[in-house]
Amino acid sequence: MFTVKRLIVCLVYAVFIIWLVRFWNSYGSEKISTVKLRQFGNFESVTLKRETGAGVRLLCFLLTDPLILHKAVYARDTWMKRCDIALFMSSAEDRQFPTVGLNVSAGRQFLSDKTKAALQYVHEHYLDEADFFMKADPDSYVAVEILKEYLKNCNTSEPEIYGHNMYSGTPTAYTGGHFVAGAAVVLTKEALVRLVTRGMSDPRCLRDSFADDLLVCACLIEVGGYIVDTRDQFGRDTFLPPLNVDDIVYGNYNEVAPWYIDYRAPYGSCSSVDCLSDHPIAFHYVHERDFSLLDYLFRIRLRLIQQLSIDLTHLRFNGTRYAKNV
């Protein structure tokens, strides 16, 4: 029986093979055959960190709670190691994990309160130690080095937010219009400053709700921020949809997530892997057993990029920016 686990494995391998084929066609088989690849070695090597995504300081923080802290272990032990700063925000401090204890009650119903407290904590303690600030979920996997390559072409002085693009309701509503959500959302330094110092003075900003990404975007828009279209130059998603991978592959949105069709209307719903970028950044709803698999596949890919001296400076978001009432 074809389980979701096997489907995810096959999908990841398929995407990886497609990328290799496209790379082969672009750079020529002769060049590839003459390159002697060294042993992969340790994925956490200093060389890897310096060569890919160099010059971009990224702070990553993940929201968790004491009762679900075990779910954050997989992100902690894989991709979050490659963030310049990695923080785990919880309703209680755990020095062994470790987590930052915020003065917020545990539970999904207090997710927006926790997001607000986390952003305030990061602004107070780490504002000058990073250029970009990313919030992620425990079941998210992020290709940090690829994300940094995209961010190299972004201006941290602009009040921008990046993530999977969606659209909500009527533009005149506080939470209406364009927003980003999903596996991870990334704020520029200027966006973080505006959110904390100006946006949070509005009582509507991050009120009690589990729709924290939507409210972060609404809050940022109110203080002159922008939602950025993060699709690539071919209109394909770099931040994957907030759906299970098998639903993305088979396009079963009408059956399992009819709400997504409406939220995606201005961008068009992705119905196959052809709608996904060759250089994906973030995956959502990743099973605990698949974190190591994804890490391994990205390790191979990044080693090939380095050994073959592939230039990733062309990686850019679509860049269209959306402000209030559009």
Side-chain angles (χ1 to χ4, degrees):
M1 184 175 180
F2 209 66
T3 64
V4 173
K5 163 70 174 178
R6 292 179 179 176
L7 178 62
I8 293 175
V9 173
C10 291
L11 170 64
V12 174
Y13 272 109
V15 171
F16 182 66
I17 294 300
I18 290 172
W19 176 83
L20 284 179
V21 171
R22 288 179 177 176
F23 170 76
W24 185 287
N25 292 334
S26 299
Y27 289 86
S29 59
E30 181 178 353
K31 179 176 180 180
I32 296 177
S33 63
T34 59
V35 175
K36 182 179 180 181
L37 297 180
R38 297 192 297 271
Q39 291 182 346
F40 291 136
N42 184 3
F43 189 30
E44 307 303 333
S45 67
V46 175
T47 301
L48 177 61
K49 291 183 179 179
R50 288 179 179 174
E51 290 185 359
T52 311
V56 175
R57 300 180 302 166
L58 177 67
L59 181 149
C60 310
F61 69 92
L62 187 150
L63 302 182
T64 184
D65 274 328
L67 292 179
I68 61 171
L69 188 57
H70 63 282
K71 296 182 178 181
V73 169
Y74 304 93
R76 182 197 65 183
D77 293 345
T78 54
W79 65 267
M80 287 194 75
K81 288 184 177 181
R82 298 186 290 281
C83 300
D84 296 285
I85 300 172
L87 301 173
F88 300 86
M89 306 296 194
S90 178
S91 56
E93 182 182 16
D94 185 320
R95 295 184 179 181
Q96 184 176 0
F97 192 83
T99 64
V100 175
L102 302 174
N103 187 25
V104 179
S105 300
R108 183 171 175 79
Q109 66 271 32
F110 302 107
L111 186 56
S112 290
D113 288 338
K114 184 178 295 180
T115 298
K116 184 175 183 178
L119 290 169
Q120 291 171 330
Y121 181 90
V122 169
H123 178 270
E124 179 180 354
H125 297 280
Y126 293 97
L127 180 62
D128 295 326
E129 297 186 33
D131 307 305
F132 297 90
F133 305 83
M134 179 174 68
K135 180 183 78 69
D137 295 336
D139 58 357
S140 299
Y141 183 91
V142 179
V144 174
E145 294 84 357
I146 300 301
L147 170 60
K148 284 188 173 184
E149 289 298 324
Y150 281 99
L151 294 179
K152 281 182 179 180
N153 293 305
C154 298
N155 188 348
T156 189
S157 298
E158 291 290 327
E160 297 178 341
I161 188 169
Y162 318 100
H164 182 71
N165 295 102
M166 301 177 74
Y167 188 87
S168 172
T170 58
T172 55
Y174 175 71
T175 56
H178 296 272
F179 70 101
V180 293
V185 296
V186 182
L187 293 159
T188 63
K189 178 179 290 189
E190 177 61 21
L192 177 63
V193 170
R194 292 198 188 192
L195 269 174
V196 175
T197 63
R198 295 167 52 188
M200 291 183 183
S201 61
D202 188 329
R204 298 174 298 176
C205 182
L206 286 166
R207 64 185 184 274
D208 288 345
S209 171
F210 61 86
D212 58 327
D213 290 341
L214 174 61
L215 292 174
V216 165
C217 292
C219 187
L220 181 60
I221 288 293
E222 287 291 319
V223 292
Y226 298 96
I227 311 301
V228 176
D229 186 342
T230 59
R231 294 175 297 173
D232 66 16
Q233 59 181 320
F234 303 107
R236 301 174 303 190
D237 287 316
T238 58
F239 291 81
L240 270 61
L243 302 168
N244 292 321
V245 177
D246 54 343
D247 295 325
I248 297 174
V249 174
Y250 292 113
N252 298 326
Y253 302 156
N254 288 325
E255 298 178 12
V256 300
W259 58 269
Y260 178 73
I261 300 298
D262 294 334
Y263 277 109
R264 187 67 175 178
Y267 302 96
S269 60
C270 180
S271 59
S272 73
V273 293
D274 292 333
C275 302
L276 308 180
S277 174
D278 289 350
H279 300 281
I281 293 172
F283 301 79
H284 210 189
Y285 300 124
V286 177
H287 193 281
E288 296 169 353
R289 295 170 297 181
D290 294 325
F291 277 86
S292 295
L293 172 63
L294 284 171
D295 229 35
Y296 169 71
L297 293 174
F298 273 102
R299 177 195 330 183
I300 297 175
R301 181 172 183 174
L302 289 170
R303 287 298 184 184
L304 285 173
I305 289 172
Q306 291 182 350
Q307 301 296 342
L308 300 175
S309 301
I310 301 173
D311 184 11
L312 296 181
T313 57
H314 68 283
L315 294 185
R316 285 177 170 80
F317 295 132
N318 174 298
T320 302
R321 303 200 306 179
Y322 301 100
K324 187 172 177 60
N325 294 335
V326 295

